[in-house]
Amino acid sequence: MKKLILLAFICSVGFAKAQEFQLTDKYNVTHQRSIGQEEEDTWALDVIVAENPINSLATLVITDFGLLDEIRISVLEQPGLEDVTEIVKISIDYNTCCASTEEFYYLVTNDDFIALPSVKNEYGYDPISDIHYIFPNQRLGKEGTILRAALQYTETYTVKDIKVLRSIAWNDDDFDTEDAITAINY
């Protein structure tokens, strides 16, 4: 019985350390402008630091602005990566015949924003699986490592299985440019 209580305590401490992204108003979307041909409906949006509007985090290109449903900016504070103060996640939801979400992740250091390759999830019906980054201080995170993983869900939307697609050991470095990773559920 004492072993079970000790095990429960250790698990609760591990989960108490776990964090999730929280919506924030520390960053804003601004300078919305059309780019390209008029009939293309392609727009550029700047993401800025609210306290210092000159400090731009990113410029995002929305290829079909008419299908844009929502933009959410959230932050993961103290992600457990050396010299990274927070992670900014920008989620862009599109509403077409099937829903899709594009996520952009930025590691914030004292003097820079470092972009991870974006992730795009498309859902035909209920989400069966999708792709996310998992950081060290999150549930299922690994110390000093950024995981890009495909999560599979049960019918009640609890995580059923995780498949690590890429494991990035963090050493305060830039990432190679690569295309977005897409998960499609139909």
Side-chain angles (χ1 to χ4, degrees), residues 20-56:
E20 295 303 320
F21 282 88
Q22 301 294 319
L23 291 175
T24 184
D25 58 0
K26 190 174 179 178
Y27 302 92
N28 292 322
V29 176
T30 187
H31 301 120
Q32 175 179 312
R33 60 202 174 276
S34 178
I35 58 176
Q37 304 296 330
E38 278 185 35
E39 63 274 359
E40 287 181 5
D41 199 22
T42 301
W43 292 71
L45 307 171
D46 292 329
V47 179
I48 60 165
V49 179
E51 291 179 357
N52 184 5
I54 296 172
N55 196 0
S56 178

Side-chain angles (χ1 to χ4, degrees), residues 10-185:
I10 291 170
C11 288
S12 67
V13 169
F15 286 121
K17 178 185 117 173
Q19 299 180 32
E20 295 303 320
F21 282 88
Q22 301 294 319
L23 291 175
T24 184
D25 58 0
K26 190 174 179 178
Y27 302 92
N28 292 322
V29 176
T30 187
H31 301 120
Q32 175 179 312
R33 60 202 174 276
S34 178
I35 58 176
Q37 304 296 330
E38 278 185 35
E39 63 274 359
E40 287 181 5
D41 199 22
T42 301
W43 292 71
L45 307 171
D46 292 329
V47 179
I48 60 165
V49 179
E51 291 179 357
N52 184 5
I54 296 172
N55 196 0
S56 178
L57 169 67
T59 299
L60 305 176
V61 175
I62 310 297
T63 54
D64 201 341
F65 195 75
L67 300 177
L68 176 67
D69 187 33
E70 179 181 23
I71 298 175
R72 290 181 315 281
I73 302 175
S74 54
V75 172
L76 177 68
E77 295 179 347
Q78 302 171 354
L81 297 169
E82 185 178 336
D83 296 326
V84 176
T85 57
E86 64 187 11
I87 312 266
V88 178
K89 178 172 76 170
I90 303 167
S91 302
I92 301 175
D93 295 336
Y94 296 94
N95 195 2
T96 60
C97 61
C98 55
S100 68
T101 300
E102 195 167 7
E103 294 178 332
F104 299 88
Y105 293 82
Y106 297 90
L107 284 65
V108 181
T109 65
N110 287 332
D111 51 35
D112 203 7
F113 298 106
I114 302 168
L116 290 171
S118 65
V119 173
K120 185 172 184 179
N121 291 293
E122 295 181 1
Y123 309 104
Y125 301 101
D126 292 332
I128 300 166
S129 70
D130 53 17
I131 297 172
H132 296 281
Y133 284 102
I134 301 172
F135 299 96
N137 281 356
Q138 290 186 291
R139 190 169 65 90
L140 308 172
K142 185 177 173 186
E143 185 177 338
T145 305
I146 301 168
L147 302 174
R148 184 169 52 209
L151 284 68
Q152 290 187 329
Y153 301 98
T154 64
E155 292 176 2
T156 58
Y157 301 105
T158 58
V159 176
K160 177 171 90 173
D161 188 37
I162 295 176
K163 179 181 177 185
V164 175
L165 303 174
R166 184 173 180 194
S167 178
I168 305 166
W170 175 248
N171 60 358
D172 195 19
D173 203 358
D174 254 336
F175 299 96
D176 293 333
T177 303
E178 66 178 71
D179 292 333
I181 302 297
T182 302
I184 300 174
N185 296 295

